[in-house]
């Protein structure tokens, strides 16, 4: 156990020694992007945009040349102080709503955006009504069953024969 | 009985839509630029980079704007069609060499023939971006007042030309 | 010769599938024992023939038979042997063959484990599965023959590099086990509708089948997600791509079906609804096949498309689902109501679960098809992507997961609400407090993290309460009971994974020269350069990243960038250090001008929990089907017969 620890320590020291000169020369790597904050904004924005050339990939994920150009364009526009909405407008003016992974809310997409929740409320309400009616029907049925039994009991064996 | 028919009804509607969907191409994106003025540019000519051209120079003419490149394989597919169209002389074709080396583009035109009245150079693709180019070749039909009237993405076919582009061009020329 | 043999076997299988589909069904309708008895041998013979065809295709791939179109398009002389074998199902044609093979496998399983069932039920179930198989075999022979010949080619155009991965060995077969497995539940439902005996017994018979298909589908989806995670190179694990949605929809309906089967079996309620779900789960499997193979939607991993194929599948889809729904409409109205229960009861809880699951399914379907709807009506093209699905799906799933905690503690017929609240108040309070405080240990407090932790803790706490209560009673081992709780715990584990990785992931996109370092969340990555590597059918660059923690060496990662010979396309192979509480994910980007490389580094906290949770869910499912109840029923009925 002690031996292992020593070995590990030594390995650590050797690795550290090996690593030290290299790091002293080369130092810290730098981010690809000149402005990491701007880059974050660009990535967040382009994740919700669709790459046009690809089958189904976001602008952020695509390696196609057009996607790279568009990312650069978005970067440039953000750098000049444009808002996210202005950048999105720039893109939809040229490529249409197709580039938006999040379809804008307008009469044509009402069904898309509200449909699931309307359905949920409708199904919930429907289920509640069904339960109420079901309870009444079962109550009715079981009563008549009881009545049947009573009739059977009254008729005795005759009832069973028929 | 009636409420149990609802799923069947929904399903039938779904099948109808899916059937229509089979005929559609999900990859074809209509351009929002149709009916809007062709984006302006001032670009150098491939034939003589010292001269420039802009859409305003073509006011009063109906013209085809064809975006192509020497590296684009499917542009070769429509090349003969364009040459034929140029020979007919119904509508002039102007080209845009998209994200390309001018030398390579000239070599292509020398080797396969030049259907273009003029070709402008868009080396960094910025003008292409303004036109919403996403897959070369792309072809725009622009009317006398500089409005984009039609756009086709991908290689042109004889059918598209005969059924869509030429009738529309003739109508616009009147 | 061998491909012709395979082709011939497929034709014979088609004929036998027709016999298997027609005679038993007619026999069951006319009470003709001899005709019904055809079902089992026909199903087995059909499976054997499809297996022969499958082996013939695999043989053609393994022996480089480049006179077969399918082999030429999806293989290459330098493709390693294991991928030549998996290429058998790498193409559209081959995957249809795998699909049919697995359908045969499930049918044979039905012939083996159905001794306790009435003869007419077995005949109908196997008959329905025979008709489904007939449709697929006809589809293959008419539009997608995997054995089509051509003049001998020099070499093949290679299997898609994304598919040259160990994931390809297991992912498609298991996923198809799930998809196709729902055909058994479907066949049971149709058989019950045909016979008119829509009682609780069909629910009991089809329960283990449904649960095992669901468990396979869970594993299949989980593997697909994991595969996308390490293979696509940017560490996403779910993209809401149409292909993923196509697998998620049957899974959601299958989940609903498992729960509603429980009500139908135990209490005799919701019979028509359960039948409807059984039809729905398999219908969505078929719909998924259509969406992936017809080209109506554009997706990352769709097959080469062909409109005639799309039309054929659509007609098949319309015939199978349309006739099933028509039969449902005709018979379902005559179904009895089942046992009485109060407004607040386990029955109601399970139904609310079903409503939420079905609404979630509907929203996935709506989002997937909405672009198609608008396009078909000429109203323009739009895209519906992750932002839509996340914003609709999460609000629907949150109450669902909350119910997964309460549900198992509720009683059938009527819930004593004050008593239940009393049992749960401490657990709930503790969950809320811990969920609010725990995120403070992380870099920043986020409401979504608290919500995720709350849901996961809530399930864990309720499972503990439920198990403790059971251990105090005299009730013995119940695979069904513990399987259910294991599956619910799996949901909790997955929720933790999803919450943590989507909130606290760190991504760095670095420019790294040899010897340069970058530190991400306490891990220091040193780039030690790139060497050229040559694989069997690719060339590439292999990077070395030395990872150290607190100055101590930790691990070495080798992300690669490959160019496959046949396609010439570049592909990234990420390198990942998996860990229980975090993954270190690295991918090599491009070589930059001065010899440095762009390198993507991710720290992904708890990401493996997503898949661990899915495995627990599936294990819970597999555990539940070993329940003695199903075996006991078999013995009892076997004894009677």
């Amino acid at each position: 156990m002690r031996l292992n620890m020593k070995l590990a320590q030594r390995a650590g020291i050797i690795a550290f020694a090996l690593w030290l000169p290299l790091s002293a020369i080369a130092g810290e790597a730098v981010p690809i992007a000149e402005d990491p904050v701007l880059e974050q904004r660009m990535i967040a924005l382009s994740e919700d945009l669709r790459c046009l050339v690809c089958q189904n990939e976001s602008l952020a994920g695509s390696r196609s040349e057009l996607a790279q150009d568009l990312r650069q364009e978005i970067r440039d526009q953000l750098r000049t102080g444009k808002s996210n909405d202005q950048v999105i407008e720039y893109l939809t003016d040229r490529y249409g709503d197709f580039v938006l992974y999040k379809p804008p809310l307008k009469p044509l997409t009402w069904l898309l955006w509200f449909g699931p929740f309307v359905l949920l409320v409708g199904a919930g309400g429907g289920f509640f009504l069904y339960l109420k009616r079901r309870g009444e029907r079962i109550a009715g049925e079981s009563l008549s069953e009881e009545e049947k039994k009573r009739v059977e009991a009254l008729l005795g064996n005759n009832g069973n024969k028929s | 009985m009636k409420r149990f028919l609802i799923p069947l009804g929904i399903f039938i509607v779904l099948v109808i839509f899916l059937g229509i969907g089979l005929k559609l191409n999900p990859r074809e994106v209509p351009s929002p630029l149709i009916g809007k003025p062709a984006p302006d540019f001032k670009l150098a000519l491939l034939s003589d980079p010292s001269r420039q051209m802009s859409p305003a120079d073509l006011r009063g003419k109906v013209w085809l704007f064809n975006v192509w490149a020497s590296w684009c394989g499917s542009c070769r597919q429509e090349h003969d069609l364009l040459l034929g169209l140029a020979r007919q002389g119904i509508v002039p074709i102007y080209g845009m060499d998209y994200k390309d080396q001018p030398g390579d583009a000239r070599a292509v035109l020398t080797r396969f023939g030049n259907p273009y009245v003029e070709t402008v150079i868009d080396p960094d693709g910025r003008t292409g971006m303004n036109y919403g180019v996403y897959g070369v070749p792309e072809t725009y039909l622009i009317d006398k007042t500089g409005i984009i009237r039609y756009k086709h993405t991908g290689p042109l076919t004889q059918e598209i030309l005969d059924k869509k582009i030429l009738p529309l061009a003739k109508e616009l020329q009147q | 010769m061998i491909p012709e043999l395979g082709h011939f076997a497929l034709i014979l299988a088609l004929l036998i599938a027709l016999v298997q589909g027609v005679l038993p069904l007619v026999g069951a309708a006319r009470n003709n024992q001899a005709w019904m008895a055809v079902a089992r041998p026909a199903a087995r013979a059909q499976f054997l023939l499809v297996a022969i065809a499958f082996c013939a295709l695999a043989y053609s791939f393994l022996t480089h038979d480049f006179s077969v179109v399918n082999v030429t398009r999806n293989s290459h002389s330098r493709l390693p042997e294991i991928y030549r074998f998996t290429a058998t199902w790498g193409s559209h044609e081959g995957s249809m063959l795998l699909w049919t093979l697995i359908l045969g496998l499930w049918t044979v399983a039905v012939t083996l484990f159905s001794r306790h069932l009435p003869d007419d039920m077995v005949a109908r179930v196997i008959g329905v599965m025979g008709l489904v198989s007939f449709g697929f075999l006809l589809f293959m022979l008419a539009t997608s023959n995997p054995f089509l010949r051509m003049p001998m080619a020099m070499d093949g155009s290679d299997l898609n590099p994304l598919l040259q991965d160990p994931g390809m060995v297991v992912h498609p077969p298991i996923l198809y086990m799930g998809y196709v497995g729902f055909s058994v539940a479907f066949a049971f439902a149709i058989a019950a509708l045909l016979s008119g005996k829509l009682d609780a017994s069909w629910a009991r018979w089809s329960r283990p089948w449904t649960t095992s298909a669901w468990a396979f589908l869970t594993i299949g989806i989980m593997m697909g997600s994991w595969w996308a995670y390490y293979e696509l190179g940017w560490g996403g694990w779910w993209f809401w791509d149409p292909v993923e949605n196509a697998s998620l929809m049957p899974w959601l309906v299958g989940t609903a079906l498992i729960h509603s089967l429980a009500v139908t079996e135990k209490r005799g309620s919701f019979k028509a609804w359960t039948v409807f779900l059984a039809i729905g789960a398999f219908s969505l499997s078929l719909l998924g096949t259509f969406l992936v193979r017809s080209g109506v939607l554009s997706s990352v991993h769709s097959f080469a498309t062909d409109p005639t194929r799309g039309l054929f599948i659509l007609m098949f889809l319309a015939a199978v689902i349309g006739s099933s729904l028509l039969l449902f409409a005709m018979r379902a109205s005559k179904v009895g109501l089942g046992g009485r229960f109060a407004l607040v009861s386990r029955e109601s809880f399970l139904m609310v679960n079903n409503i939420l699951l079905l609404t979630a399914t509907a929203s996935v379907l709506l989002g997937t098809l909405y672009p198609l709807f608008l396009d078909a009506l000429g109203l323009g093209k739009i895209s519906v992507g992750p932002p839509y699905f996340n914003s609709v799906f999460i609000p629907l799933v949150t109450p669902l997961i909350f119910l997964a905690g309460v549900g198992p503690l509720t009683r059938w017929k009527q819930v004593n609400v004050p008593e239940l609240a009393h049992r749960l108040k401490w657990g709930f309070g503790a969950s809320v407090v811990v969920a609010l405080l725990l995120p403070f240990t992380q870099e920043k407090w986020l409401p979504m993290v608290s919500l995720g932790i709350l849901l996961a803790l809530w399930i864990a706490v309720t499972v503990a309460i439920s198990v403790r209560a059971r251990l105090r009673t005299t009730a013995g081992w119940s695979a069904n009971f513990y399987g259910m709780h294991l599956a619910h715990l799996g949901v909790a584990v997955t929720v933790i994974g999803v919450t943590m990785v989507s909130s606290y992931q760190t991504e760095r996109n670095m420019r790294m020269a040899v010897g340069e370092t970058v530190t991400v969340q306490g891990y220091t990555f040193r780039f030690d350069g790139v060497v050229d590597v040559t694989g069997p059918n690719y060339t590439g660059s292999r990077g070395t990243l030395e990872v150290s923690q607190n100055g101590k060496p930790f691990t070495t990662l080798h992300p690669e960038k490959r160019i496959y010979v046949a396609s010439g396309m570049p592909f990234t192979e990420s390198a990942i250090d998996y860990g229980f509480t975090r993954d270190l994910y690295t991918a090599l980007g491009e070589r930059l001008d001065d010899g440095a490389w762009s390198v993507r580094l991710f720290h992904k906290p708890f990401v493996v929990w997503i898949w661990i949770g899915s495995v627990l869910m599936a294990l819970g499912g597999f555990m539940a089907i070993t329940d003695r109840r199903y075996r006991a029923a078999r013995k009892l009925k076997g004894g009677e017969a």
Side-chain angles (χ1 to χ4, degrees):
Chain A
M1 193 63 201
R2 261 190 77 133
L3 193 74
N4 275 350
M5 259 175 70
K6 263 194 178 164
L7 266 177
Q9 257 178 358
R10 200 171 296 166
I13 291 167
I14 293 171
F16 189 70
L18 282 173
W19 169 79
L20 199 65
L22 270 175
S23 72
I25 300 161
E28 295 256 316
V30 289
I32 296 268
E34 293 150 24
D35 181 350
V37 179
L38 190 86
E39 194 68 7
Q40 277 304 313
R41 255 183 85 196
M42 188 279 289
I43 290 174
L45 189 59
S46 58
E47 259 164 9
D48 288 355
L49 296 169
R50 183 172 190 161
C51 160
L52 287 126
V53 226
C54 324
Q55 282 286 350
N56 186 12
E57 278 181 278
S58 76
L59 215 49
S62 169
R63 264 167 256 145
S64 76
E65 205 169 316
L66 180 69
Q68 288 174 21
D69 287 356
L70 285 173
R71 283 201 296 263
Q72 189 55 45
E73 181 68 31
I74 296 174
R75 218 176 267 137
D76 292 346
Q77 296 205 0
L78 289 179
R79 194 174 298 133
T80 59
K82 288 203 177 158
S83 69
N84 286 6
D85 286 345
Q86 282 171 312
V87 173
I88 286 174
E89 198 188 315
Y90 172 87
L91 289 167
T92 48
D93 278 352
R94 282 156 185 78
Y95 301 101
D97 284 349
F98 187 78
V99 289
L100 305 177
Y101 263 138
K102 184 180 188 171
L105 188 62
K106 52 186 184 183
L108 268 185
T109 58
W110 280 355
L111 179 62
L112 178 69
W113 282 105
F114 303 128
F117 298 99
V118 171
L119 184 69
L120 183 65
V121 171
F127 176 58
F128 184 75
L129 286 179
Y130 166 78
L131 278 189
K132 269 183 76 179
R133 223 177 293 154
R134 183 179 187 277
E136 285 158 16
R137 268 170 67 191
I138 287 188
E141 267 177 24
S142 58
L143 202 78
S144 66
E145 247 168 56
E146 253 170 62
E147 281 170 351
K148 260 187 228 161
K149 270 183 198 155
R150 212 178 300 154
V151 170
E152 269 173 32
L154 281 172
L155 290 172
N157 286 342
N158 289 344
N160 277 347
K161 262 182 198 167
S162 69
Chain B
M1 169 91 187
K2 255 186 210 153
R3 82 191 145 98
F4 294 108
L5 275 171
I6 297 171
L8 185 64
I10 294 174
F11 176 70
I12 290 171
V13 173
L14 187 68
V15 166
I16 292 171
F17 272 107
L18 292 176
I20 301 173
L22 279 176
K23 289 193 191 144
L24 304 169
N25 177 6
R27 309 260 295 113
E28 199 181 281
V29 186
S31 174
L33 290 166
I34 289 168
K36 302 231 170 80
D40 197 21
F41 58 78
K42 204 162 179 65
L43 292 173
L45 296 180
L46 186 66
S47 55
D48 177 5
S50 65
R51 280 174 31 215
Q52 288 187 318
M53 195 190 98
S54 83
D57 303 341
L58 300 169
R59 277 288 150 80
K61 265 198 254 189
V62 177
W63 53 293
L64 275 183
F65 189 45
N66 179 258
V67 186
W68 64 284
S70 68
W71 45 260
C72 146
S74 47
C75 297
R76 262 346 73 75
Q77 281 176 37
E78 61 171 15
H79 203 82
D80 284 342
L81 211 64
L82 288 176
L83 285 170
L85 186 66
R87 244 174 276 132
Q88 287 176 335
I90 303 170
V91 56
I93 313 169
Y94 289 82
M96 180 162 82
D97 186 28
Y98 175 73
K99 299 194 75 170
D100 202 1
Q101 300 292 332
D104 295 348
R106 279 186 213 109
V108 166
L109 294 185
T110 322
R111 188 162 162 214
F112 297 102
N114 183 358
Y116 305 110
V117 181
E118 284 296 352
T119 296
V120 295
I121 320 173
D122 180 27
D124 55 3
R126 291 205 63 98
T127 305
M129 213 179 271
N130 284 335
Y131 275 81
V133 171
Y134 66 92
V136 269
E138 294 193 2
T139 308
Y140 301 80
L141 180 66
I142 296 164
D143 74 6
K144 287 180 182 169
T145 56
I147 306 280
I148 296 180
R149 288 314 186 102
Y150 187 78
K151 179 192 173 184
H152 179 76
T153 308
L156 288 170
T157 59
Q158 193 68 51
E159 198 190 344
I160 296 277
L161 217 50
D162 290 344
K163 287 199 176 145
K164 295 264 169 72
I165 296 181
L166 289 178
L168 186 59
K170 281 176 190 155
E171 192 191 312
L172 292 171
Q173 276 167 342
Q174 271 152 27
Chain C
M1 184 57 205
I2 296 287
E4 276 67 35
L5 196 72
H7 192 179
F8 185 62
L10 271 191
I11 296 171
L12 277 184
L14 175 82
L15 297 176
I16 292 188
L18 189 62
V19 173
Q20 179 197 334
V22 173
L23 281 190
L25 284 177
V26 177
R30 296 190 178 169
N31 204 14
N32 181 331
Q33 290 294 333
W35 286 20
M36 283 194 268
V38 171
R40 283 196 175 94
R44 289 170 189 164
Q46 198 228 124
F47 171 68
L48 195 68
L49 286 163
V50 176
I52 290 173
F54 185 82
C55 292
L57 187 62
Y59 179 83
S60 306
F61 269 98
L62 288 169
T63 56
H64 296 296
D65 189 345
F66 290 127
S67 68
V68 176
V69 177
N70 195 8
V71 177
T72 310
R73 287 204 185 138
N74 298 289
S75 186
H76 189 268
S77 55
R78 279 151 71 186
L79 188 66
E81 194 162 26
I82 178 73
Y83 299 134
R84 294 210 300 278
F85 178 63
T86 61
T88 309
W89 56 78
S91 64
H92 158 76
E93 293 84 355
S95 65
M96 282 327 296
L97 188 54
L98 179 69
W99 175 287
T100 319
L101 182 75
I102 289 176
L103 181 58
L105 197 65
W106 278 105
T107 320
V108 168
V110 171
T111 68
L112 293 176
F113 301 108
S114 59
R115 285 177 218 290
H116 60 294
L117 299 183
D119 286 341
D120 65 324
M121 190 74 184
V122 177
R124 285 196 176 100
V125 169
I126 294 176
V128 169
M129 293 179 79
L131 287 179
V132 173
S133 188
F134 175 77
F136 276 104
L137 285 164
L138 190 65
F139 172 57
M140 237 189 298
L141 288 166
T143 71
S144 336
N145 180 1
F147 299 105
L148 209 62
R149 292 273 202 172
M150 58 179 264
M152 183 69 105
M154 288 298 290
D155 206 337
S157 44
D158 209 355
L159 183 65
N160 181 344
L162 285 176
L163 303 183
Q164 297 182 29
D165 182 273
M168 184 65 185
V169 182
V170 277
H171 167 60
I174 290 189
L175 188 68
Y176 284 11
M177 280 298 282
Y179 273 144
V180 182
F182 283 136
S183 71
V184 184
F186 168 78
F188 268 102
I190 298 296
L193 284 175
L194 284 173
S195 68
K197 279 182 285 189
L198 258 182
D199 46 20
S201 51
W202 85 267
R204 166 164 299 195
W205 295 331
S206 62
R207 246 185 118 176
W209 297 102
T210 309
T211 310
S212 48
W214 174 87
F216 276 115
L217 189 58
T218 309
I219 297 267
I221 294 174
M222 169 244 145
M223 286 177 143
S225 151
W226 183 33
W227 188 3
Y229 169 74
Y230 69 73
E231 188 70 32
L232 292 180
W234 61 91
W237 50 273
W238 191 261
F239 300 92
W240 295 105
D241 184 78
V243 168
E244 292 167 330
N245 294 349
S247 65
L248 183 64
M249 289 187 284
W251 187 85
L252 290 169
V253 175
T255 311
L257 175 60
I258 286 176
H259 291 90
S260 94
L261 273 172
V263 186
T264 306
E265 187 213 348
K266 294 233 173 88
R267 302 282 308 141
S269 307
F270 307 144
K271 280 181 244 172
W273 175 249
T274 306
V275 168
F276 173 66
L277 289 182
I279 296 174
F282 185 59
S283 299
L284 286 167
S285 291
L286 288 180
L287 182 71
T289 315
F290 171 79
L291 293 180
V292 178
R293 290 158 202 272
S294 63
V296 293
L297 301 169
S298 67
S299 139
V300 197
H301 18 206
S302 49
F303 290 92
T305 53
D306 174 349
T308 51
R309 280 178 195 165
L311 191 64
F312 192 106
I313 312 184
L314 186 62
M315 291 191 314
F316 178 55
L317 196 81
V320 174
I321 306 175
S323 56
S324 309
L325 289 176
L326 187 65
L327 184 67
F328 171 74
M330 281 156 45
R331 294 284 164 88
S333 51
K334 301 186 182 78
V335 173
L337 286 168
R340 180 206 297 241
F341 57 88
L343 201 59
V344 185
S345 59
R346 185 183 270 201
E347 285 93 331
S348 297
F349 271 93
L350 284 168
M351 197 58 189
V352 174
N353 145 308
N354 270 222
I355 289 173
L356 287 165
L357 279 167
L358 269 262
T359 311
T361 313
S363 62
V364 175
L365 186 67
L366 189 67
T368 310
L369 293 181
Y370 209 75
L372 175 79
F373 292 156
L374 287 194
D375 197 10
L377 295 170
L379 296 172
K381 296 242 177 177
I382 64 160
S383 299
V384 178
Y388 169 80
F389 290 107
N390 288 335
S391 57
V392 173
F393 204 70
I394 293 171
L396 287 170
V397 168
T398 302
L400 185 70
I401 297 174
F402 183 78
L403 281 183
V406 199
L409 288 163
T410 56
R411 279 164 206 243
W412 295 111
K413 294 192 215 176
Q414 183 150 27
V415 171
N416 184 339
V417 181
E419 187 213 323
L420 185 67
H422 178 72
R423 277 178 82 186
L424 291 175
K425 67 182 176 198
W426 288 109
F428 184 71
S431 304
V432 170
V433 172
V434 176
L436 284 175
L437 294 180
L438 205 57
F440 282 112
T441 63
Q442 297 294 321
E443 54 208 276
K444 59 181 178 237
W445 187 90
L446 294 166
M448 283 311 272
V449 178
S450 271
L451 178 66
I453 294 177
L454 173 64
L455 291 173
L457 279 177
W458 173 239
I459 289 186
V461 165
T462 50
V463 165
I465 293 175
S466 176
V467 169
R468 201 179 67 147
R470 186 178 176 97
L471 289 176
R472 281 182 176 181
T473 65
T474 53
W477 172 257
S478 158
N480 207 34
F481 175 85
Y482 289 106
M484 168 187 76
H485 282 94
L486 186 62
H488 283 181
L489 270 183
V491 174
V493 172
T494 296
V495 166
I496 291 281
V498 172
T499 306
M500 294 303 283
V501 78
S502 34
S503 302
Y504 294 128
Q505 159 176 305
T506 315
E507 177 183 353
R508 289 288 170 77
N509 211 345
M510 304 304 288
R511 163 198 195 88
M512 297 187 94
V514 174
E516 283 188 332
T517 60
V518 56
T519 303
V520 183
Q521 297 284 332
Y523 294 91
T524 303
F525 296 77
R526 191 186 71 215
F527 184 58
D528 280 357
V530 162
V531 290
D532 290 341
V533 285
T534 310
N537 55 342
Y538 62 85
T539 59
S541 314
R542 182 182 165 92
T544 301
L545 285 161
E546 285 294 339
V547 186
S548 57
Q549 196 180 17
N550 303 324
K552 290 190 192 120
F554 182 72
T555 186
T556 309
L557 294 171
H558 295 289
E560 286 185 25
K561 195 161 174 118
R562 293 178 181 172
I563 294 184
Y564 283 82
V565 176
S567 61
M569 295 288 282
F571 281 88
T572 51
E573 283 281 313
S574 58
I576 304 167
D577 180 63
Y578 292 100
F580 190 62
T581 57
R582 56 98 198 98
D583 278 9
L584 301 177
Y585 187 109
T586 61
L588 210 53
E590 284 79 38
R591 184 193 288 276
L592 304 170
D593 31 14
D594 54 354
W597 282 75
S598 73
V599 182
R600 292 182 100 170
L601 306 158
F602 298 86
H603 177 267
K604 291 176 174 283
F606 292 89
V607 65
V608 284
W609 285 44
I610 297 173
W611 305 300
I612 294 176
S614 318
V615 171
L616 290 181
M617 285 183 233
L619 281 181
F622 284 125
M623 195 162 145
I625 56 177
T626 65
D627 196 280
R628 230 178 320 151
R629 251 163 357 109
Y630 305 123
R631 283 203 306 272
R634 195 174 301 147
K635 255 181 226 153
L636 189 73
K637 292 270 176 167
E640 276 173 3

